[in-house]
Amino acid sequence: MEKPGLLPLLDARLPLTEEGVAEAARLAGVSLAQAWGVVRYYPRYGEVREGRYLVDDPVARARGIGSLLEGTVGTHPPLGLEALAPAYVRVEGEERWVEVGGRAEPFATFRLPFALGHGRKLLPPEPTDTLEAYRAQGGLRALEAARKGDLTPEALLKAVEEAGLLGRGGAAFPTHLKLRAVARGEAPRYLVANGDESEPGNFKDRFLLEHHPFLVLEGALLAGFAVGASRVYLYIREEFQAAIRGLKEAIGALEEAGLLLVPTEVFQSGGLYICGEETALLESMEGRRAEPRLKPPFPVEKGLWGRPTAVQNVETLAAIPRILEGLEAWRREEPKLFSISGDVAAPGLYELPLGTPLGEALRRAGGEPEGLKAVLLGGAAGVFTRDFAFPLRYRERLPLGAGAVVAFGEGVDLWAVLEGLAHFFQEESCGKCFPCPLGTTVQLALVQRRVRDARLVEDLASTLKGSLCGLGQSAYWAYRSLLEVEGAA
């Protein structure tokens, strides 16, 4: 990083004192007012009350949040634990624990169970969390080829283009266009892997980071190699402590093996949903509040520290080594990860070909579509639907998002689930623009009153569409779609 990052400097001084904040501000070269603005903005620098918290996600809402809250001191934002829900976070002094199924494990070591993963290409059947294991399963060949000069940046970019890889974070932007734009920019250039997975219902990136760090790293290094990056950053959600430790160990192993083609480091995210928005992410890396920037210019032109920067989702990067292993095989059955949870017999992470019908995806997870009231597709910024023939691919009638599929049985109160989503958006709005905080607050009030007035929801949508970023622009989708499912719209 061109300048010492304010957030890492603050993290190194936890618990914060006035002297510690002042020292971090001085070392980062920012004003004391900016430093305190950051401290007050990010929840992890605030005081946390001791006690037990319910992880508030769509599955917990479906199970009846009222009874689940008994014995707790409040709720915790989603943690990618929907397949294990209900889950709790317990805070004792400086220690945090994850409680699932009556068992407690420290945050520092907790990982999603490996058995939740079902796949072949993006989800190898055996763990690949060591260099030897990853290499034994065919990994690192593309990285070796790049090191030896047998793979050029242009050949890599061409392969990604011919594969038609679209971004897996939800925006579905062509990956090769973003990489080529950065490669054309003036050095220094950067590559940032966006591992700030905070969307309710999604846990694919968390699983990849925790169980297949070398696959993600190889993809990030290849992308960094292709754009001529001077540094690769892995921007990882602070709560994913086991993933952060595993990535740091993997970086060390690659460096020792002479395969760290680009200097690489882990950056702990700001810890808010908005941090997943690429420009807000960059703001937090530069030591400011995570608030979206006006676009243009886009990050590929003016990103981190004003330099050309490619921000790519974790799953997108993990796909690159698989594409280079065999383009034809990739095209024949392009894999996508789907986080399937809720009322299915075997919730988990499923690698399925793009275009798989929603009903078939649910059956793979032991679900019975005919017995469901609806599915939440795409997470909080998604929609409720009963179209089980819908093909799960991008640029269709319904938003695929990052691939969250939450199933709700006939007995579920979908308005209670929707209230959780509305509350999430209202809480996570950064407040930078006017339409988002206003619209999400009004939406929460409407949902709590269970207003089924389609014209009123369209007025709400008109307001939210004027938001600065996708958080506000998509916040009403679930509300409007629930009215459609009920036949009220």
Side-chain angles (χ1 to χ4, degrees), residues 4 18 47 50 81 85 128 178 215 266 332 338 354 386 401 462 485:
E18 289 189 6
E47 291 186 10
E50 288 198 4
L81 302 177
T128 57
K178 189 182 281 190
L215 177 63
V266 174
R332 248 191 334 271
F338 293 92
L354 272 177
R386 283 189 50 79
S462 297
V485 166

Side-chain angles (χ1 to χ4, degrees), residues 214-455:
F214 287 96
L215 177 63
V216 177
L217 263 173
E218 185 176 14
L221 287 167
L222 289 168
F225 165 74
V227 304
S230 59
R231 188 166 290 270
V232 167
Y233 293 100
L234 306 169
Y235 187 88
I236 310 299
R237 194 172 167 186
E238 182 270 337
E239 289 97 332
F240 300 168
Q241 286 293 304
I244 288 173
R245 189 184 67 256
L247 286 167
K248 288 180 176 176
E249 292 172 357
I251 291 169
L254 286 172
E255 186 168 24
E256 189 173 335
L259 287 169
L260 201 66
L261 300 189
V262 185
T264 302
E265 65 181 83
V266 174
F267 188 103
Q268 289 193 162
S269 88
L272 294 164
Y273 178 56
I274 192 62
C275 290
E277 200 279 338
E278 60 179 359
T279 61
L281 175 155
L282 297 173
E283 286 289 294
S284 75
M285 290 185 72
E286 293 183 12
R288 288 188 286 273
R289 295 158 58 103
E291 294 176 341
R293 299 173 180 172
L294 286 171
K295 294 182 279 189
F298 294 92
V300 294
E301 307 162 280
K302 191 174 180 181
L304 187 63
W305 309 115
R307 310 307 309 171
T309 303
V311 182
Q312 294 287 2
N313 171 259
V314 164
E315 185 189 351
T316 310
L317 294 168
I320 292 176
R322 298 314 190 210
I323 289 171
L324 295 172
E325 285 174 6
L327 188 56
E328 289 308 314
W330 175 271
R331 283 171 165 169
R332 248 191 334 271
E333 199 171 78
E334 183 174 346
K336 169 80 187 81
L337 299 182
F338 293 92
S339 308
I340 303 179
S341 62
D343 290 321
V344 294
L349 185 60
Y350 289 82
E351 178 186 317
L352 301 170
L354 272 177
T356 300
L358 174 58
E360 184 178 332
L362 290 164
R363 291 188 187 92
R364 286 284 299 275
E368 298 178 2
E370 299 76 13
L372 297 176
K373 181 180 280 187
V375 164
L376 178 64
L377 178 64
V383 295
F384 291 98
T385 183
R386 283 189 50 79
D387 182 359
F388 299 116
F390 176 75
L392 295 173
R393 59 176 170 244
Y394 293 108
R395 300 177 176 177
E396 289 284 349
R397 181 177 60 83
L398 301 178
L400 195 59
V405 177
V406 189
F408 302 108
E410 283 293 346
V412 171
D413 178 0
L414 295 180
W415 281 86
V417 177
L418 181 62
E419 183 176 337
L421 302 179
H423 180 262
F424 175 78
F425 277 119
Q426 193 263 340
E427 282 283 307
E428 296 291 339
S429 175
C430 74
K432 180 173 182 177
C433 67
F434 183 66
C436 183
L438 171 67
T440 54
T441 299
V442 170
Q443 173 170 258
L444 178 58
L446 292 174
V447 172
Q448 288 173 329
R449 287 160 39 208
R450 306 203 169 197
V451 173
R452 290 178 166 82
D453 186 332
R455 288 178 301 178

Side-chain angles (χ1 to χ4, degrees), residues 92-160:
E92 294 176 354
E94 299 298 321
E95 300 296 324
R96 290 178 294 175
W97 302 75
V98 177
E99 292 184 7
V100 173
R103 296 181 57 187
E105 186 170 339
F107 244 74
T109 58
F110 179 83
R111 298 193 297 176
L112 292 173
F114 186 77
L116 290 179
H118 306 271
R120 293 181 294 117
K121 296 178 181 175
L122 297 175
L123 299 177
E126 299 295 330
T128 57
D129 52 359
T130 66
L131 186 66
E132 294 74 21
Y134 184 57
R135 196 192 293 273
Q137 294 191 31
L140 300 176
R141 283 180 292 193
L143 207 53
E144 294 271 17
R147 182 180 65 168
K148 295 175 182 174
D150 297 334
L151 174 67
T152 66
E154 177 53 32
L156 193 157
L157 291 169
K158 187 177 180 185
V160 173

